[in-house]
Amino acid sequence: MSDLQATPLTPATPAVAPGAAVSSKTPLLREHHRKLNGTSIRRISRHMRSIRVILQTMLFLAIIYTVTIGKPLLIPLLLAGFIGLGLNPIVSFGARLGVPRWLSACVVMLALGTAVGAGTSMVAPAALNWFHQAPDAMRQLAPKIKPMTQQLEAASRATQNLVGGSPRAGQPAAPTVAIFSSWDVITGAPKVMASVLTVVLLVFFFLIYGDELLRRAVEVSPTFAQKRHTVTIVRSIQSEVSRYLLTTMAINFGLGLITAAMLYGYGVPDPLLWGTVAMLFNFVPYVGAITTTVVLSLVGLLHFNDAGTAMLPALSFAAITAIEGNVITPLIQGRRMRLSPVAILLWLLVWGWLWGIPGALLAVPMLTSAKLVAARLRGWEWFAMMVGR
């Protein structure tokens, strides 16, 4: 016992583990491993982004291909959908009054068919007359525009001389404009009639079963909150798109009437035909107004000998469309419906390239509807901001 008490107490020496030499470097190793893991994660993220971009590009190209080959099906479907949305408020109003939807749809379709048939019967003879007289009209127009073409040729020769070139002799004559024969119209008539019948049937069934489709879409939603959200979005989109289509049709119809009255005042033959042309072309912003102005310039040159008098109808129409596009349409439709001119031109270019004239006519209604839908959908607000004005 005394020996134990005489032994001095010394602090315990810590035991040296076999990996003691490495233990002092473990923080550095952990930091090194963390950097390696961060580099690997960033590399994997870059690879994933590259794969995502490639897949999105392939999906975009597949959609473009599908839209192109599906043109015979998609054009009547979209046209019927827009007409159905525009006429749906009338049918819904009749349903609120207690009238069955099928009866309201029948009355609306009958009234629309009567109006379209009456308008077609009024302008069809004049259109056929212009169609048959087109070659003679082009020959009559050539001497009147010859001074302008001579000035253009002189300017072209001066430009060639400035750049060091010389006009080439013996150039081939410019190809003549091909005019479709009556046989082409006759052979294409069955296809046109089938498309018109398809659109009419689709519009009729959209008007009858539109609310039923909405109820089916609501039933698919799993929760009550999602059902209510779906109903709110669909109802708001439906009302806004319907209002846009109805106001656009009314504005274009008014523009056609004013144009026909103006042409009648100037003594231009077949004013109803050119008013109808102005109404239809006005569905294509900018391009439609420019095209109608050019057409009215040619019509004026055909029927007036004086160049100043011949250009009055076209200049008057340009003034009317300027007032309509910058004052009347923004005042009626409001800022929510306004689109960026760049977005409109790009959209027209894309759909005109894909579908031709039908695509150009449907492009702006599609863009406006897409903007209204995107503004209501979460995550798509950026599209509404990009195409808005």
Side-chain angles (χ1 to χ4, degrees):
M1 186 68 180
S2 59
D3 295 337
L4 292 174
Q5 292 176 350
T7 304
L9 296 175
T10 58
T13 302
V16 179
V22 183
S23 63
S24 61
K25 300 181 180 179
T26 50
L28 296 176
L29 290 175
R30 284 197 297 270
E31 182 68 21
H32 181 64
H33 287 307
R34 186 162 56 250
K35 290 181 179 179
L36 287 177
N37 291 334
T39 305
S40 301
I41 292 174
R42 285 193 297 270
R43 187 180 296 112
I44 293 172
S45 300
R46 285 196 298 267
H47 289 325
M48 293 300 295
R49 282 195 296 269
S50 302
I51 294 173
R52 190 182 301 113
V53 170
I54 293 173
L55 292 177
Q56 289 175 351
T57 305
M58 294 176 64
L59 177 62
F60 176 75
L61 294 176
I63 291 174
I64 293 296
Y65 178 75
T66 304
V67 167
T68 304
I69 65 173
K71 171 184 173 180
L73 173 65
L74 294 177
I75 289 178
L77 188 61
L78 282 174
L79 182 60
F82 284 132
I83 296 175
L85 282 174
L87 299 177
N88 185 68
I90 303 175
V91 178
S92 299
F93 178 75
R96 287 194 296 270
L97 295 179
V99 181
R101 288 191 66 91
W102 65 268
L103 183 58
S104 299
C106 290
V107 173
V108 169
M109 293 299 296
L110 183 62
L112 180 64
T114 303
V116 172
T120 304
S121 63
M122 293 174 65
V123 300
L128 290 175
N129 187 29
W130 278 93
F131 176 78
H132 290 298
Q133 293 181 356
D136 295 334
M138 294 299 293
R139 284 192 291 269
Q140 295 175 9
L141 187 63
K144 296 182 179 181
I145 64 175
K146 188 175 181 179
M148 292 184 289
T149 58
Q150 288 177 348
Q151 293 177 1
L152 291 176
E153 290 175 358
S156 177
R157 287 194 297 267
T159 304
Q160 289 178 356
N161 292 330
L162 287 175
V163 299
S166 59
R168 291 176 296 176
Q171 290 183 348
T176 57
V177 179
I179 304 297
F180 291 103
S181 63
S182 301
W183 180 251
D184 296 330
V185 178
I186 294 174
T187 55
K191 185 182 295 185
V192 174
M193 293 301 296
S195 300
V196 171
L197 183 60
T198 301
V199 171
V200 170
L201 290 177
L202 286 174
V203 171
F204 181 70
F205 287 115
F206 282 162
L207 291 176
I208 295 177
Y209 300 106
D211 285 351
E212 181 67 23
L213 294 175
L214 175 60
R215 283 194 292 269
R216 296 290 178 86
V218 171
E219 291 174 358
V220 172
S221 302
T223 63
F224 178 76
Q226 291 181 356
K227 293 178 186 294
R228 185 174 59 183
H229 185 62
T230 302
V231 171
T232 303
I233 290 178
V234 172
R235 288 298 187 190
S236 60
I237 290 173
Q238 187 181 39
S239 62
E240 290 176 355
V241 173
S242 300
R243 183 169 65 87
Y244 162 74
L245 294 174
L246 286 176
T247 53
T248 302
M249 291 177 185
I251 291 171
N252 293 343
F253 183 74
L255 177 67
L257 287 179
I258 294 174
T259 303
M262 178 266 296
L263 295 176
Y264 178 79
Y266 283 129
V268 177
D270 303 320
L272 287 178
L273 173 63
W274 306 120
T276 304
V277 170
M279 178 187 68
L280 294 177
F281 282 9
N282 202 51
F283 282 99
V284 185
Y286 307 115
V287 179
I290 294 173
T291 305
T292 307
T293 304
V294 173
V295 170
L296 292 181
S297 301
L298 298 177
V299 172
L301 289 173
L302 280 173
H303 292 280
F304 298 102
N305 294 324
D306 183 37
T309 306
M311 296 305 295
L312 278 178
L315 294 176
S316 301
F317 176 77
I320 293 171
T321 52
I323 296 173
E324 177 267 327
N326 295 296
V327 178
I328 297 177
T329 299
L331 184 64
I332 295 177
Q333 291 185 346
R335 186 175 180 82
R336 184 174 178 81
M337 301 290 180
R338 300 183 69 181
L339 299 172
S340 170
V342 178
I344 290 175
L345 292 177
L346 291 176
W347 204 256
L348 286 173
L349 180 64
V350 170
W351 289 103
W353 170 60
L354 291 175
W355 288 352
I357 295 177
L361 291 174
L362 293 172
V364 176
M366 284 193 293
L367 181 59
T368 305
S369 303
K371 177 191 174 184
L372 295 174
V373 172
R376 295 284 181 175
L377 295 180
R378 188 176 304 169
W380 284 90
E381 296 86 355
W382 62 270
F383 181 80
M385 293 179 62
M386 289 292 294
V387 301
R389 186 175 181 178

